Amino acid sequence: MDNDNLPVVICMKWGELYSSDYVNVLYHAVQANLNIPHKFVCLTDNEDGIVDGVECYPIPDPLVTDAFTRRGCWPKLVLFQPDLYGLKGRALFIDLDTIIYGDLKPLIEAEGEIILIREWRRFVDYFRSWQINGQTSIFAFNLGELSYLYEIYAADPVGACKQFRNEQRFVTHYVKSMKFWSHPTVISFKRHLMAPPLINRFVKPKEPLEETSILVFHGIPRPIDVVPDNQQVWGSFFRYGRGAVKYVRDYWLKHGGKDPE
């Protein structure tokens, strides 16, 4: 396969919330779970500490001055630019706060204009009208072929941010064709593996199923919260835990992450 048309795994890192360790661990995990030739790209404002093998590029202008601090991740929309640093072909975007648990080849080769997570219902959503939305922690698409999304956003970026709660609602609203990852290929740590509120104070999180390829940590807790093994309290009142989650700790250390202890 032409090197210019290799599948591309993409992540983004900005600010201080996620260290270079997150990029490095994700890179090593992808190498272990994607056995076809590919590129690994990180769009970032600081490439210090990121290992060789990761192709780093600056994050293009997100067009809204406070895009990096708004609700959601509006800078992700730059991925849909007509030309993103000359990258071509199929791409799989993966958030940094994600655990690679199995084979990624079926995900990056899956066909569809865009394939996303079907947004998981929160407790409050069971008491109001529910609209199916895509969730952009993990999505596959063809580079350059969703430029119409970027063009709609670029025409009025401030208006888009005012109209939509976050960038994934914007994508859901305007994309022409959308598919979702099957369960349990992509699952949520707090929605699928943690015990219900209060019970989670006594019952540790379950392990992912054998069919799971990606485990998503969205919101709190983050992976780094459950890596230390010193009986630390993590999460929130409803998503409560204590100490290390062994399979997350093992994953983090196996793929080169520093022990936060």
Side-chain angles (χ1 to χ4, degrees):
M1 182 181 292
D2 188 329
N3 189 61
D4 289 339
N5 291 309
L6 291 178
V8 184
V9 177
I10 305 178
C11 66
M12 298 180 75
K13 183 184 92 69
W14 64 79
E16 303 299 324
L17 183 59
Y18 298 104
S19 69
S20 59
D21 254 14
Y22 271 94
V23 179
N24 298 340
V25 168
L26 181 61
Y27 169 74
H28 289 304
V30 168
Q31 306 322 299
N33 290 281
L34 183 58
N35 63 354
I36 58 173
H38 63 277
K39 297 180 180 181
F40 188 101
V41 168
C42 180
L43 303 184
T44 182
D45 60 358
N46 182 2
E47 59 184 85
D48 290 348
I50 295 178
V51 296
D52 293 340
V54 178
E55 296 183 27
C56 292
Y57 299 96
I59 301 172
D61 182 3
L63 305 181
V64 177
T65 54
D66 58 349
F68 295 97
T69 57
R70 281 180 179 269
R71 190 183 189 103
C73 295
W74 288 93
K76 287 183 184 178
L77 295 182
V78 303
L79 297 168
F80 304 131
Q81 288 185 352
D83 181 13
L84 183 66
Y85 295 110
L87 297 169
K88 300 176 182 178
R90 195 65 172 169
L92 181 67
F93 176 84
I94 305 177
D95 268 348
L96 291 177
D97 50 355
T98 296
I99 300 297
I100 308 301
Y101 210 76
D103 187 10
L104 294 179
K105 186 171 180 281
L107 280 74
I108 204 165
E109 292 185 344
E111 297 182 357
E113 185 176 31
I114 189 169
I115 310 173
L116 315 95
I117 297 169
R118 178 171 175 163
E119 189 177 34
W120 296 298
R121 278 188 171 185
R122 297 168 297 170
F123 180 73
V124 296
D125 292 325
Y126 290 93
F127 300 94
R128 59 187 182 186
S129 60
W130 171 249
Q131 176 184 348
I132 295 175
N133 290 293
Q135 203 259 29
T136 58
S137 290
I138 314 291
F139 60 94
F141 66 108
N142 288 329
L143 288 153
E145 292 188 8
L146 291 175
S147 57
Y148 69 89
L149 290 177
Y150 181 78
E151 290 163 1
I152 293 170
Y153 167 70
D156 185 9
V158 174
C161 292
K162 287 181 178 178
Q163 181 179 355
F164 297 97
R165 182 171 180 261
N166 51 41
E167 93 294 338
Q168 57 199 28
R169 297 290 176 88
F170 172 91
V171 171
T172 297
H173 182 81
Y174 284 113
V175 75
K176 295 174 182 176
S177 177
M178 178 172 59
K179 294 181 179 178
F180 298 114
W181 303 117
S182 62
H183 180 87
T185 301
V186 179
I187 63 172
S188 160
F189 175 75
K190 63 183 181 183
R191 296 278 190 268
H192 300 120
L193 301 184
M194 290 191 69
L198 300 183
I199 297 174
N200 57 31
R201 294 174 182 268
F202 308 99
V203 177
K204 288 185 175 293
K206 297 181 292 186
E207 290 203 23
L209 297 174
E210 187 176 333
E211 300 90 340
T212 298
S213 291
I214 293 184
L215 177 57
V216 180
F217 282 72
H218 48 110
I220 296 173
R222 295 186 172 87
I224 199 65
D225 298 332
V226 306
V227 170
D229 192 14
N230 56 16
Q231 288 303 300
Q232 77 283 4
V233 172
W234 48 260
S236 62
F237 179 82
F238 291 108
R239 304 291 179 185
Y240 177 94
R242 181 182 288 273
V245 175
K246 186 178 184 305
Y247 57 85
V248 179
R249 177 176 172 82
D250 291 347
Y251 166 91
W252 184 263
L253 298 179
K254 174 183 177 182
H255 295 298
K258 299 181 184 70
D259 192 336
E261 291 184 309

